[in-house]
Amino acid sequence: MSLRRWEWCLAAELLLLPLLLLATNTQDHLTSAMTVVSGSNVSLQISEGLPDNYEQLTWFYTIDQKIVEWDSGKSKYFDSKFKGRVMLDPQSGALNIYNVQKEDSSTYLMRVSNATGKEQEWKVLLEVLDPVRAPVIKIEKTEETNNICYLKLSCVISDQSVNCTWYGDSGPFSEACQNSALELRVPEPQKYSKFYTCQVSNPVSSKNDTVYFTPPCTLARSSGVDWIASWLVVIVPTILGLLLI
Ligand SMILES: *[C@@H]1O[C@H](CO)[C@@H](O)[C@H](O)[C@H]1NC(C)=O
Ligand SMILES: *[C@@H]1O[C@H](CO)[C@@H](O)[C@H](O)[C@H]1NC(C)=O
Ligand SMILES: *[C@@H]1O[C@H](CO)[C@@H](O)[C@H](O)[C@H]1NC(C)=O
Ligand SMILES: *[C@@H]1O[C@H](CO)[C@@H](O)[C@H](O)[C@H]1NC(C)=O
């Protein structure tokens, strides 16, 4: 073999090495990822069926923390923060976790082996998020000059890792609510709305606050309709009460 050729072979082998490592590793699968709201019940499971005739099945929270192990027909639950909150379904291999908390977020591992000792491993990604906290609209300024109403609203949000959008009666505005106020000059056709809503959301929840606009330049925290409704709730029983006396 000439030196050239030998060098070429070596290079080819070095290139192949990672491929070979990958090939021996194909028994690892990342099957699913889920994002849920804290307090929910989840079922971690793989989409494909379990291997036939498996002998042992283990769920791990992290690589060195076992949650439950199923062996020869018996489930053994380990001392972990999951104790009393998990239940293994040996039929499907699903790990049911009740009342999940933010700290339960992890890449869970399920390891299955059969009589020949052949192991397979699945990864299931779980992300637990708290629901967003309600935003509060702050009316920074309302000012009327020369029949132009100038409004400045800001949306106070307690958690920055949310998406925040302003809405009017014709849909969302392009302005984001994070760290910036909504400035309006009414009449300004695109911006005129009977209400202004600030909505915050994360992948699992959404909350909003609304203020109501009355021309020419008044903002109120509740609409007139709501006010009439609450007025009726008080007044009607009072009148009925008086009639009955
Ligand atoms: C979770 O499961 C428990 C027990 O089955 C049940 O009492 C509870 O209402 C469930 N919680 C939710 C959010 O579904
Ligand atoms: C064990 O698993 C391997 C790979 O999944 C499979 O090829 C083999 O047939 C299995 N052996 C038994 C006894 O089920
Ligand atoms: C915010 O919105 C973008 C685009 O819709 C989305 O990719 C992202 O995940 C959202 N972030 C949160 C915290 O909801
Ligand atoms: C605001 O929240 C209420 C319920 O709290 C919901 O009915 C309404 O659709 C939300 N509005 C927007 C613009 O998201």
Side-chain angles (χ1 to χ4, degrees), residues 54-57 69-75:
Y54 75 89
E55 290 236 309
Q56 197 185 54
L57 183 153
E69 192 162 72
W70 187 90
D71 197 348
S72 335
K74 278 202 296 274
S75 298

Side-chain angles (χ1 to χ4, degrees), residues 41-82:
N41 298 333
V42 299
S43 182
L44 304 183
Q45 54 192 314
I46 58 174
S47 42
E48 44 207 298
L50 280 175
D52 292 335
N53 310 321
Y54 75 89
E55 290 236 309
Q56 197 185 54
L57 183 153
T58 312
W59 274 101
F60 295 76
Y61 169 55
T62 57
I63 193 78
D64 51 10
Q65 161 107 68
K66 286 183 184 179
I67 302 171
V68 58
E69 192 162 72
W70 187 90
D71 197 348
S72 335
K74 278 202 296 274
S75 298
K76 174 175 193 272
Y77 292 88
F78 292 85
D79 268 322
S80 72
K81 60 178 179 174
F82 296 99

Side-chain angles (χ1 to χ4, degrees), residues 114 116 118 120:
N114 67 12
T116 59
K118 183 82 183 161
Q120 280 183 275

